Amino acid sequence: MKFLKGTSIYSILTGKCPICQNESMYINTSTFAIKNVLGMNERCSHCNTKYSMEPSFFYGAMYVSYGVGIAFGVAAFIISHYFLQLNLLISYFVIVATIIFFLPIILRLSRNIWINLFMSYDPLKSK
């Protein structure tokens, strides 16, 4: 994924600092560490970027999370109903299971998207 470095997509998919893209924004880099899935560093140790620009900054990520969750649900429905030919009731349970299983990824992905809307890569700070 190094070929995407310098783009917002790289920061969104990897959870790296949106400014320098050298350090993970999260304390625990494992997405499925449920106990600390949203635990973030206060600042980037490389470029000193403060991740939370104001109190309650990441409340906006809830709106992004809704859209990302819908995308996961639609993908689960299309795969289960159209490709696997499951009936609607079972497809519903597949959607619910998908949302529950991928919740940590959805939460982090929505935070990554939200912060990348307000910050962008600076090649001078990445050195």
Side-chain angles (χ1 to χ4, degrees), residues 53-125:
M53 293 183 267
E54 60 187 30
S56 310
F57 172 70
F58 286 106
Y59 281 173
M62 290 187 301
Y63 298 104
V64 177
S65 177
Y66 178 76
V68 173
I70 292 295
F72 272 76
V74 167
F77 175 74
I78 290 171
I79 291 168
S80 67
H81 188 68
Y82 292 110
F83 292 124
L84 301 177
Q85 302 294 319
L86 301 175
N87 66 30
L88 287 177
L89 182 62
I90 295 175
S91 294
Y92 171 76
F93 288 121
V94 169
I95 292 168
V96 171
T98 300
I99 298 294
I100 290 171
F101 181 76
F102 286 107
L103 186 61
I105 292 173
I106 293 170
L107 291 174
R108 280 200 178 183
L109 195 59
S110 63
R111 277 192 173 206
N112 296 348
I113 292 169
W114 184 252
I115 198 167
N116 274 280
L117 290 174
F118 297 96
M119 297 180 184
S120 59
Y121 179 70
D122 185 358
L124 298 176
K125 291 189 177 183

